[in-house]
Amino acid sequence: MATQEQRRELAQFIRSRRERRKPEDAGLRVVGHRRTPGLRREEVATLAGLSITWYTWLEQAREIKVSRQVLGSLATALDLDQVERDHLFRLAGEVPPSDVLPSAALPRQYELLLTHLNPNPAFIVNRRFDILAWNQGCELLYGDLGALPPRRRNVLWLTFTSPEVRAMSQNWEEEASYALALFRTQVGERILDPDVVVLLNELADSSPDFSRLWQLKELAPFVPKSRTVNHPRLGVIELEYIKMHVADDDKTLVAYLVNPGSDLERRLEKLLEERAD
């Protein structure tokens, strides 16, 4: 939550950007003489999809909660660049979007390892369970990850918001609960880190099931185990679920393994070949 000093600075900042924004640049028709430099308050409110009263309170530094969605709409209405958008979010007591995007920078050796694990689904996650790198086999479980925005390549996000991923679970409730228990255990005392809080808030806003299960505050250690998957092309299959921490880092390799030379391995390989054609 922003402090009073931050709210005053926020009010002055958005007013300065409102006065800088030319009506014609915002696609507004200008008729006659305008006493107000830049945009009027009601014009910004309309462009951002807000009520004029609420926006006025914002410029008056009233103690109101500003959501990330509203901040994004304001940034667009005021035509803020990336630096200004980040500043806007920080003044409102929020983590800027650029700060919560996972970094995908990994040594090429890890990329090579993932390739060698094909057709076994495998990927590398950070402490937020963001999927930073993955192999072709991984997309047999999570779909075309490359088509998703980086912020949505997240195991928890896919678990709770993707109907396709959910449909592959034999017991979704049990698996989702276990994923949350693992997450809470692994993130530990960093559960209040701003980027983690952003993820949890977005999940709470998007999934009632997440809110319900997260309130249980379950914890669980990781134990290698089998996972049964109801795959739309392969039918019911069994994979060996393992995790290994990357040395001197907060990243983890996750893999779903099949027996070498097995019929299932050949079926996975065939499916990958079909996807590549």
Side-chain angles (χ1 to χ4, degrees):
M1 186 72 176
T3 65
Q4 180 58 37
E5 183 178 347
Q6 284 176 304
R7 287 194 295 274
R8 283 196 296 266
E9 185 64 30
L10 174 64
Q12 294 169 9
F13 178 67
I14 61 176
R15 179 173 181 175
S16 71
R17 294 312 183 264
R18 171 172 66 82
E19 293 177 346
R20 182 191 68 178
R21 182 96 157 108
K22 295 179 181 179
E24 54 269 29
D25 291 341
L28 301 176
R29 183 182 172 195
V30 179
V31 179
H33 177 69
R34 293 170 63 98
R35 292 184 298 172
T36 303
L39 297 177
R40 300 186 178 102
R41 283 178 176 173
E42 58 268 25
E43 291 171 336
V44 174
T46 299
L47 289 170
L50 310 173
S51 74
I52 178 59
T53 300
W54 195 92
Y55 178 77
T56 300
W57 287 349
L58 194 59
E59 280 204 7
Q60 291 174 345
R62 299 277 192 97
E63 190 172 349
I64 54 177
K65 173 63 177 175
V66 189
S67 71
R68 296 179 62 80
Q69 182 178 358
V70 166
L71 291 171
S73 297
L74 270 177
T76 300
L78 296 171
D79 194 32
L80 303 185
D81 61 26
Q82 187 63 58
V83 173
E84 293 170 327
R85 180 183 291 260
D86 289 355
H87 185 61
L88 175 73
F89 272 73
R90 292 190 181 100
L91 289 177
E94 291 284 349
V95 179
S98 62
D99 287 355
V100 300
L101 293 177
S103 171
L106 287 171
R108 63 173 295 275
Q109 288 84 354
Y110 292 119
E111 303 276 359
L112 188 61
L113 172 61
L114 290 174
T115 300
H116 276 290
L117 283 171
N118 275 319
N120 299 280
F123 52 95
I124 292 176
V125 296
N126 60 13
R127 77 188 197 293
R128 278 192 3 145
F129 285 19
D130 295 306
I131 300 174
L132 306 180
W134 62 95
N135 65 3
Q136 293 172 305
C138 177
E139 297 198 337
L140 297 180
L141 297 182
Y142 289 115
D144 186 3
L145 292 170
L148 298 176
R151 289 176 61 193
R152 295 300 176 239
R153 297 172 196 155
N154 178 278
V155 173
L156 295 184
W157 183 263
L158 293 167
T159 298
F160 285 94
T161 69
S162 170
E164 294 79 13
V165 171
R166 183 168 184 153
M168 280 193 276
S169 295
Q170 285 287 84
N171 187 332
W172 182 86
E173 183 92 3
E174 179 181 308
E175 291 187 4
S177 298
Y178 181 60
L180 287 184
L182 277 179
F183 178 82
R184 188 186 289 275
T185 301
Q186 290 183 199
V187 79
E189 71 279 4
R190 301 186 67 180
I191 197 169
L192 296 179
D193 282 4
D195 61 338
V196 175
V197 172
V198 166
L199 173 64
L200 298 178
N201 287 341
E202 290 179 339
L203 283 164
D205 290 341
S206 303
S207 171
D209 284 326
F210 168 81
S211 299
R212 173 175 57 85
L213 295 176
W214 185 249
Q215 291 304 316
L216 299 178
K217 301 187 183 300
E218 298 288 350
L219 298 164
F222 172 73
V223 177
K225 58 192 296 187
S226 298
R227 181 189 172 191
T228 302
V229 175
N230 186 17
H231 195 274
R233 294 286 306 279
L234 301 171
V236 177
I237 60 175
E238 190 169 282
L239 305 170
E240 298 301 326
Y241 172 45
I242 67 163
K243 298 173 70 173
M244 293 184 290
H245 288 293
V246 176
D248 300 321
D249 207 335
D250 68 348
K251 299 178 181 64
T252 302
L253 170 70
V254 181
Y256 293 89
L257 305 177
V258 299
N259 289 324
S262 65
D263 177 65
L264 179 54
E265 183 181 55
R266 288 189 289 272
R267 292 166 64 200
L268 287 169
E269 290 173 342
K270 182 178 180 181
L271 192 53
L272 288 184
E273 290 172 1
E274 292 176 2
R275 286 173 59 91
D277 290 341

